[in-house]
C-alpha cells in the first residue's frame, strides 16, 4: 500500500516497524463543543484507513486521546483554555462539559459507522505521565523553566520544521502569536509544556507538579499518551491538516527528544472540509453537525458517502446541493443492492479479481472514489447476485456504508416482490410529490398521491425522508 506522507509530501510504500502490525495514533476531539462535520471528515477518512489496513491483513492497534485540558484558544499558547470557555458558556464544570461532549462525539461516530479506537484516553487521566515526560525533557536539557512555566527549547533541535508542506504563512502565524504572547520564551518557536497559576489564574483543573500547581500544554498530551500506549515506535499518526503545525511539529520535537531516536514513520493528514466561509471551525460558532443534517432529513451515511467520493488529500467543499447528490447516489446504490436475489452461493473464485481491484484502489493512497467505482463495476458485472452480495459485504467492511442492512430495510419497506424498476418508478413519484408540495402545487401533489394510492403505496414521513411500503 502507498500513502502520502506529510514528512516528504510524497506517496511512499507503507512499511510498518514490525511486519504485519500497525501502531496507529489519532488526535482526538477537543470536547468543549459538538464535533462539526469537518472534524468528522477527518475521523471518517482515518476510519477508512484503519479498516483498510485490517482488510489487508494488518493487526492494527489504534489509540486516541480526548483533549479535555490544555488546548488554548490559539494554537500558539495564548488565550483561554477551550474547555474553560465551553464550561463558562454553558454554566457547567469543565468535567461536565467534557463528559457530555465526549458522549456526543461517540454518538456521532456511531451514526457515521466510525469504529471506536481500541484505546481511548482522556488527557486528564494521564497527568502523572505528562509530568514524568516533562521531567525527562528537563533532565536531558530540552526544556527550561521561565516565569512559572516550563518550555520546550526548540533551539536544541537540528531541524524543528520537519514537514514538507509547511507554508510560510502557517509558520508566520504560529511564530507571531508566540512572540506577542510570551516574553519568557527563549526562542520564538518554543512552546509551553506546563503552565502554572502564575499565567492563567482562572484555570479550573490544576494539578501539583515539581514546577508548581498548574496544568499541561496540549502537545505533551499526545506524545506522552502515544509513547505509553504504543511504545517507542509509532507507525502512523493521523489528524486534520491544521494539526500539522504547530501541534504535530511539537509532538515530534518532544517525542524524539524524549526517546533519542526517530519516532513516527508516516503522517496521515486529512485536508479540510470547507464551506462558503472557508474552513469549517468550532470557534466560528455556526457550524454543521450530524444532528443538524438529520433534522434536515439526511441519513448520516449519505454524508459518509459524500466524504468517500473525494480524496482525503484534497480540500472538500460542502454544499447542500452536493450532499443532495450524495444522498441520491446512496439511495440508488441501496435500491440496486435491494434488487439482488438472496438465492444461491457466491462464486468466491470469480470474486477475487474484484477484491484485487478494490485493494489496488484503496492501496493507492486510499483512493476511496476509485474503490466506489469498483463497487459500481461489481453491480454491473456479469456475476451471480450471490457473488455481488458477497462482494458488497466484503467492500463494506472498509467503506462502512451499511449497504446490505439498508438494502434489507428498503426491501422490507418496499415489498420484496417489486422489481428494481418498479421501485425506482415509485421513488420518482414520491420525489415528484414532495417537490409539488414544496412548490405548494396542491393539485399536482393530490394527483400524485392518488397515483401512488392506486399502486397501493402507503407512505410515512420520517426524519430520514418518506418511508413507504405496499399495502397487502
Ligand atoms: P478539535 O476537536 O478541534 O481538536 O479537532 C478534531 C480534529 O478535526 C482534528 O484532527 C482537526 O485537525 C480536525 N479538523 C478541524 N477542522 C476541520 C475541518 N474543517 N475539516 C477537516 N478536519 C478538521
Ligand atoms: Zn494530538
Amino acid at each position: 500500500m502507498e500513502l502520502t506522507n506529510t514528512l516528504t509530501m510524497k506517496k511512499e510504500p507503507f512499511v510498518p516497524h514490525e511486519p504485519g502490525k500497525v501502531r496507529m495514533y489519532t488526535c482526538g476531539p477537543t470536547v468543549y463543543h459538538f464535533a462539526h462535520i469537518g472534524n468528522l471528515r477527518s475521523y471518517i477518512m482515518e476510519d477508512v484507513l484503519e479498516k483498510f489496513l485490517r482488510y489487508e491483513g494488518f493487526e492494527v492497534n489504534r489509540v486516541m486521546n480526548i483533549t479535555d485540558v490544555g488546548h488554548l484558544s490559539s494554537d500558539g499558547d495564548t488565550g483561554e483554555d477551550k474547555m474553560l470557555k465551553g464550561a463558562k458558556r454553558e454554566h457547567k464544570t469543565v468535567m461536565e462539559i467534557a463528559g457530555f461532549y465526549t458522549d456526543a462525539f461517540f454518538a456521532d461516530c456511531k451514526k457515521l459507522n466510525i469504529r471506536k479506537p481500541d484505546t481511548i484516553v482522556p488527557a486528564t487521566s494521564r497527568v502523572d505521565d505528562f509530568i514524568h515526560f516533562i521531567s525527562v525533557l528537563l533532565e536531558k536539557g530540552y526544556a527550561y523553566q521561565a516565569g512559572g512555566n516550563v518550555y520546550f527549547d526548540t533551539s536544541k533541535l537540528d531541524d524543528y520544521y520537519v514537514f514538507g508542506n509547511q507554508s510560510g504563512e502557517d509558520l508566520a502565524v504560529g511564530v507571531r502569536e508566540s512572540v506577542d504572547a510570551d516574553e519568557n520564551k527563549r526562542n520564538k518557536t518554543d512552546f509551553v509544556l506546563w503552565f502554572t497559576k502564575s499565567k492563567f489564574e482562572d484555570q479550573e483543573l490544576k494539578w501539583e507538579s515539581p514546577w508548581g500547581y498548574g496544568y499541561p500544554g496540549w502537545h505533551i498530551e499526545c506524545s506522552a499518551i502515544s509513547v505509553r500506549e504504543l511504545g517507542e515506535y509509532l507507525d502512523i499518526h493521523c489528524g486534520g491538516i491544521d494539526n500539522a503545525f504547530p501541534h504535530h511539529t511539537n509532538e515530534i520535537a518532544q517525542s524524539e527528544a524524549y526517546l533519542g531516536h526517530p519516532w513516527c514513520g508516516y503522517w496521515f493528514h486529512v485536508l479540510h472540509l470547507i464551506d462558503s466561509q472557508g474552513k469549517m471551525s468550532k470557534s466560528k460558532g455556526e457550524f454543521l453537525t450530524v444532528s443538524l443534517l438529520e433534522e434536515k432529513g439526511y441519513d448520516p451515511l449519505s454524508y459518509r458517502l459524500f466524504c468517500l467520493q473525494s480524496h482525503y488529500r484534497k480540500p472538500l467543499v460542502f454544499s447542500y446541493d452536493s450532499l443532495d447528490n450524495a444522498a441520491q447516489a446512496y439511495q440508488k446504490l441501496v435500491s440496486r443492492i435491494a434488487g439482488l436475489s438472496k438465492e444461491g452461493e457466491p462464486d468466491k473464485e470469480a470474486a477475487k479479481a474484484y477484491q484485487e481491484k478494490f485493494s489496488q484502489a484503496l492501496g493507492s493512497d486510499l483512493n476511496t472514489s476509485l474503490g466506489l467505482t469498483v463497487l459500481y463495476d461489481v453491480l454491473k458485472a456479469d456475476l451471480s447476485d450471490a457473488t455481488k452480495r458477497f462482494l458488497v459485504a466484503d467492500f463494506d467492511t472498509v467503506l462502512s456504508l451499511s449497504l446490505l442492512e439498508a438494502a434489507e430495510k428498503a426491501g422490507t419497506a418496499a415489498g420484496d416482490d417489486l422489481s428494481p424498476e418498479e421501485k425506482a418508478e415509485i421513488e420518482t413519484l414520491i420525489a415528484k410529490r414532495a417537490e409539488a408540495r414544496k412548490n405548494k402545487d396542491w393539485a399536482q401533489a393530490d394527483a400524485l398521491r392518488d397515483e401512488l394510492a392506486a399502486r397501493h403505496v402507503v407512505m410515512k414521513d420520517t426524519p430520514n425522508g418518506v418511508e413507504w411500503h405496499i399495502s397487502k
Side-chain angles (χ1 to χ4, degrees), residues 53-68:
L53 288 166
R54 290 184 198 278
Y55 183 86
E56 292 293 282
F58 288 103
E59 197 184 301
V60 184
N61 185 6
R62 182 162 174 211
V63 175
M64 181 195 268
N65 71 308
I66 299 290
T67 302
D68 53 3

Side-chain angles (χ1 to χ4, degrees), residues 114-176:
I114 298 170
R115 182 182 179 274
K116 262 194 174 181
D118 302 286
T119 307
I120 297 158
V121 185
T124 47
S125 70
R126 292 293 168 86
V127 176
D128 287 349
D129 279 358
F130 308 155
I131 291 175
H132 168 74
F133 209 103
I134 298 166
S135 308
V136 173
L137 292 176
L138 279 161
E139 271 165 35
K140 288 189 162 194
Y142 284 103
Y144 59 92
Q145 282 181 263
N149 296 332
V150 184
Y151 295 87
F152 188 92
D153 185 348
T154 51
S155 71
K156 293 284 187 299
L157 304 173
D158 296 336
D159 188 11
Y160 170 64
Y161 298 120
V162 281
F163 288 128
N165 71 334
Q166 280 169 344
S167 71
E169 203 183 318
D170 281 348
L171 302 179
V173 170
V175 169
R176 199 171 47 239

Side-chain angles (χ1 to χ4, degrees), residues 27-32 36 38-43 46 67 71 82 218 238-243 270-274 279-282:
C27 290
T30 310
V31 283
Y32 72 111
H36 56 64
N39 300 129
L40 291 160
R41 177 193 192 199
S42 287
Y43 294 111
E46 293 164 5
T67 302
H71 193 173
K82 291 189 182 194
W218 169 39
C238 317
I241 191 67
D242 57 307
N243 279 170
V270 180
L271 269 82
H272 285 144
L273 182 78
I274 49 183
K279 174 191 171 233
M280 196 168 288
S281 105
K282 284 186 217 178

Side-chain angles (χ1 to χ4, degrees), residues 25 27-28 65 218 222 237 243 247-248 251:
Y25 185 86
C27 290
N65 71 308
W218 169 39
C222 291
H237 195 308
N243 279 170
H247 184 49
H248 292 162
E251 277 189 45

Side-chain angles (χ1 to χ4, degrees), residues 254-273:
Q254 298 162 150
S255 301
E256 297 195 350
Y258 174 89
L259 295 167
H261 59 68
W263 170 50
C264 175
Y266 298 86
W267 288 82
F268 176 91
H269 286 122
V270 180
L271 269 82
H272 285 144
L273 182 78

